[in-house]
Amino acid sequence: MRSHSLVVVLSLGSAALALLGQFPVSTADESVRPLDIANLDNDKSHSCSFDSKTAQWRFDEGPAENATGSLIFDTVHSFLQHWPNTRYRNGHNIVPGVVPTGTLLYHGTSRKTIPSGPEWTATDPEHSLLFSARGTDSGWHLTLATTRPLKILYFDGSSAAKVAEGTMDTQDIIAWEEVHPERFFDERSRIEDLCKWGKEFGIDGFARMEMDFEVMLCDFTAGVELVSFLYVRLSLKDKDHSPPSPPPLDPNKEVRRFEVMHSGSWHNRYPGDSRIVLDLTGLVSLYDIALAPSLVPIRAGLERWDHRVLGISSNDISKVMRKLTEVISRPHPTNSGLDWKTLIHVIVDRYADRLELMQYLLNFTSSDPQVVLERAKLAQIQLRVMVLPYLLDSTVVPSAGTSGVDTLQWASPIFRLCATTHTSVMISQIPFMTPSEHLLLKAVEETTREICRVTTKMWAVGVMNGLDTLFPIELDGEPDVLQIMNDRRQDIEKLMSWLDWSIWIKCRPACGPEEMCYLPTWPNNAPGPRHPHQPPRDPQNSTGAPAEVQDLADRVGYPPEGSVIPDEFSFIGTPEEWRKPQPKCIRRLPPYGF
């Protein structure tokens, strides 16, 4: 290992060292060549990499129609965060990682038996306790501690939500080498087949998310030790009631039902659930156009809510599996040493709040020209703040009245500096990057380029219209401020829609002290019948499942105990609320209101 990589690893601590040990990375056996720096301007996939030619920094050239850099950037930034992965449920990424030594995992069951095979564990006890009772007032709760770093694979999105709409697609590819949407309830086969596949590579489990995060643990005797196995009271002792009258409503169930959502909300934002540490140098993304080109026409014209992996070609599945196998089998810990997680978060930190403020300033109407002018000048100040680190003292603004397609090209050096400042120093690391790191670099480049293209253009237009006190110019007449404001409003809305960062999705107005901001979550808000003890029932139905899903139960079998949906939950959502989840305030105290 090179000395600079060792310094980076040591600075990241024991979790990073565990990752290197579990998932060593090497490019020695791969056909990845360093970027040809001398010919970067001939390589459109890296058109914004360290090239200073003006032609590469035109303000009228936005991202390609099928570009996925912003999608890769946003999904990577969203890893292990509950909020964005609840908003966009259908994950497209498989990432190696570890559960560090000393991490507690929890398992709820109605039996006093430690599982002898693969089972589900929770990262928060509020989640696992839901599965302890299973219709009784008490149950067993198992707490485990990891004795070494557990080698895991993480599926992003709401990958533990049992629906046929795409949440399980990436798991199906690994377990069954094709997508089986009709088997969304076949959790027993899924966990057993995933663990069977992973055994060859030393995979200890698979991390997923539903109401909260979980680890599908393949072996309860490997890498974990018993902390406690307690018989806990969850409800009042069941009082006698004469059938067929239903039992009285248990308020404790409602409390548990809310608290699992509450515990999931602890991981809503960055850094998410930090008990799972991911190795981004081994990222496998189905948004990678080179890896899964068959998905490009399938996604065309669809809203992001509807993106999924169903329809991927068998050839692309083979490529995905080869890449995944290479990632988890590499013998040598060689990579660039770059901290991609922090880099991407720094970029979001830098621009998210400022773009949101710009959106607010531009969402403004007035019939008073002077008021509109003052608002335009306020917006100009904020735009200048965003590009201020790149405002060269040598900048020369052309005289007022200059026209033509290249009117703003005087600002292209500012555009270029803004777009490349986070990546230009990486040129020395390119030969050591893994294929996944090349993908991350491209995603960062595409994202920062578009942010800087739009913000620099809006700022430069303001300068040319006499709105900037730092670069004053003499105008021939009055600027069309109303048109400038309208153009800026369209530009900022288009940019923020393209970036689509979930950090902007929030409850407005903010929730009160007795409330929590909430996105419709599986299983609580998924529409349609699903509870095995709810009507309507088929009198010939021996499984007790609703008649509407009996055919599915016949195909895949009844979900195993403790693995799917606890008794506390029932569906209360609507199809549109489910498909496009929007934030709302719900009570943190009874009575709740999902």
Side-chain angles (χ1 to χ4, degrees):
M1 183 187 297
R2 300 183 315 285
S3 59
H4 81 277
S5 294
L6 181 59
V7 171
V8 171
V9 169
L10 290 176
S11 69
L12 293 176
S14 59
L17 290 172
L19 273 171
L20 286 178
Q22 295 292 313
F23 290 101
V25 181
S26 173
T27 57
D29 300 323
E30 301 192 38
S31 58
V32 176
R33 67 179 181 87
L35 293 177
D36 184 355
I37 304 303
N39 294 299
L40 276 174
D41 51 329
N42 295 324
D43 179 4
K44 288 205 170 184
S45 67
H46 290 84
S47 61
C48 57
S49 300
F50 326 118
D51 178 73
S52 59
K53 292 186 177 180
T54 300
Q56 297 297 325
W57 304 101
R58 297 181 61 89
F59 289 101
D60 57 350
E61 292 184 359
E65 183 179 358
N66 291 322
T68 57
S70 64
L71 294 170
I72 295 169
F73 182 97
D74 183 54
T75 53
V76 170
H77 179 257
S78 301
F79 284 165
L80 296 170
Q81 297 172 52
H82 196 270
W83 189 262
N85 286 288
T86 300
R87 182 172 175 237
Y88 288 122
R89 300 183 184 91
N90 296 342
H92 284 68
N93 299 279
I94 307 165
V95 195
V98 297
V99 178
T101 304
T103 302
L104 297 183
L105 299 173
Y106 308 92
H107 176 76
T109 176
S110 59
R111 306 188 187 99
K112 189 183 179 180
T113 305
I114 295 178
S116 58
E119 281 285 351
W120 294 259
T121 64
T123 55
D124 291 311
E126 289 80 5
H127 191 185
S128 53
L129 281 168
L130 288 174
F131 299 94
S132 294
R134 300 297 289 185
T136 64
D137 47 56
S138 302
W140 292 96
H141 193 240
L142 174 64
T143 302
L144 302 168
T146 58
T147 58
R148 57 170 174 79
L150 298 184
K151 187 176 179 180
I152 59 96
L153 289 180
Y154 165 64
F155 302 107
D156 71 330
S158 293
S159 48
K162 266 63 73 176
V163 293
E165 300 151 17
T167 56
M168 306 240 174
D169 289 357
T170 53
Q171 298 166 69
D172 289 0
I173 287 176
I174 297 177
W176 305 316
E177 297 186 347
E178 59 182 331
V179 178
H180 282 285
E182 78 282 357
R183 296 181 69 177
F184 67 95
F185 252 134
D186 195 1
E187 284 283 76
R188 174 51 61 189
S189 294
R190 181 174 287 104
I191 191 172
E192 289 180 349
D193 290 342
L194 283 173
C195 288
K196 181 180 178 182
W197 171 84
K199 186 174 182 179
E200 175 185 350
F201 309 105
I203 300 293
D204 295 299
F206 301 85
R208 309 190 305 180
M209 190 198 85
E210 47 181 19
M211 303 88 78
D212 200 344
F213 287 89
E214 67 177 30
V215 175
M216 304 162 77
L217 191 59
C218 294
D219 188 346
F220 279 62
T221 66
V224 293
E225 64 181 355
L226 178 67
V227 174
S228 63
F229 200 4
L230 307 176
Y231 193 61
V232 294
R233 177 178 295 187
L234 300 169
S235 300
L236 289 173
K237 296 293 183 181
D238 202 9
K239 296 181 179 179
D240 292 336
H241 55 271
S242 302
S245 63
L249 180 65
D250 183 357
N252 296 296
K253 285 188 176 181
E254 286 295 298
V255 173
R256 293 199 300 273
R257 178 187 183 190
F258 169 78
E259 286 303 326
V260 67
M261 301 293 184
H262 185 206
S263 65
S265 76
W266 301 338
H267 319 300
N268 270 350
R269 306 296 187 184
Y270 181 89
D273 196 330
S274 55
R275 291 162 294 188
I276 301 165
V277 182
L278 301 180
D279 177 11
L280 297 183
T281 68
L283 167 72
V284 178
S285 177
L286 276 299
Y287 276 129
D288 181 352
I289 294 174
L291 182 64
S294 62
L295 291 178
V296 174
I298 293 173
R299 285 192 299 264
L302 293 180
E303 293 183 277
R304 187 175 170 187
W305 321 93
D306 302 316
H307 290 186
R308 64 177 301 179
V309 178
L310 181 65
I312 186 174
S313 69
S314 57
N315 183 58
D316 285 357
I317 290 176
S318 297
K319 289 196 296 182
V320 169
M321 294 306 296
R322 283 197 301 271
K323 181 176 177 65
L324 183 59
T325 300
E326 291 168 2
V327 163
I328 61 179
S329 304
R330 287 168 175 161
H332 304 297
T334 303
N335 58 69
S336 70
L338 294 166
D339 187 347
W340 294 100
K341 176 182 177 180
T342 298
L343 170 62
I344 289 173
H345 183 61
V346 163
I347 293 168
V348 172
D349 265 356
R350 175 164 186 77
Y351 291 108
D353 184 62
R354 285 171 171 169
L355 290 175
E356 191 173 32
L357 178 58
M358 279 299 302
Q359 184 185 47
Y360 165 77
L361 290 173
L362 297 171
N363 188 20
F364 170 82
T365 57
S366 174
S367 58
D368 187 335
Q370 189 61 36
V371 172
V372 176
L373 178 60
E374 291 305 313
R375 192 74 164 202
K377 290 180 177 178
L378 282 177
Q380 182 70 19
I381 292 171
Q382 291 305 314
L383 288 167
R384 191 175 69 225
V385 164
M386 281 191 269
V387 299
L388 189 60
Y390 322 110
L391 296 186
L392 299 173
D393 186 59
S394 58
T395 299
V396 177
V397 181
S399 60
T402 302
S403 61
V405 69
D406 294 329
T407 304
L408 300 179
Q409 286 309 115
W410 60 271
S412 62
I414 298 166
F415 171 19
R416 178 180 61 82
L417 287 168
C418 173
T420 61
T421 189
H422 292 285
T423 54
S424 60
V425 296
M426 295 181 185
I427 189 169
S428 62
Q429 306 298 328
I430 287 175
F432 308 107
M433 288 184 185
T434 67
S436 299
E437 289 183 287
H438 282 277
L439 183 68
L440 289 167
L441 175 59
K442 185 178 178 182
V444 170
E445 288 176 336
E446 285 186 15
T447 301
T448 55
R449 186 187 195 280
E450 183 62 4
I451 291 172
C452 294
R453 183 185 74 86
V454 174
T455 55
T456 307
K457 183 185 77 169
M458 289 193 295
W459 169 79
V461 168
V463 171
M464 295 291 290
N465 283 275
L467 297 177
D468 201 297
T469 57
L470 198 60
F471 291 85
I473 65 170
E474 293 186 10
L475 300 177
D476 295 334
E478 292 297 319
D480 189 347
V481 179
L482 188 60
Q483 185 62 51
I484 293 171
M485 290 289 281
N486 287 335
D487 290 345
R488 284 177 169 180
R489 186 182 303 111
Q490 293 177 19
D491 285 344
I492 204 73
E493 292 293 344
K494 186 176 180 180
L495 173 61
M496 292 177 71
S497 176
W498 183 80
L499 293 171
D500 201 17
W501 293 345
S502 292
I503 196 170
W504 294 318
I505 306 302
K506 60 188 75 173
C507 289
R508 305 172 194 270
C511 302
E514 292 188 6
E515 296 177 317
M516 178 182 80
C517 193
Y518 171 81
L519 279 177
T521 302
W522 187 91
N524 216 44
N525 301 98
R530 72 107 206 66
H531 198 286
H533 303 301
Q534 285 186 338
R537 291 186 183 181
D538 182 346
Q540 304 301 316
N541 182 343
S542 61
T543 67
E548 290 85 345
V549 297
Q550 176 60 24
D551 60 332
L552 179 63
D554 289 340
R555 290 199 301 273
V556 303
Y558 187 76
E561 182 210 25
S563 67
V564 184
I565 306 172
D567 291 338
E568 281 80 352
F569 286 92
S570 59
F571 287 151
I572 58 176
T574 64
E576 191 62 15
E577 178 189 40
W578 170 252
R579 179 173 171 266
K580 296 183 177 181
Q582 299 300 318
K584 61 181 179 180
C585 295
I586 63 171
R587 286 180 54 80
R588 296 178 58 185
L589 302 171
Y592 306 106
F594 293 102

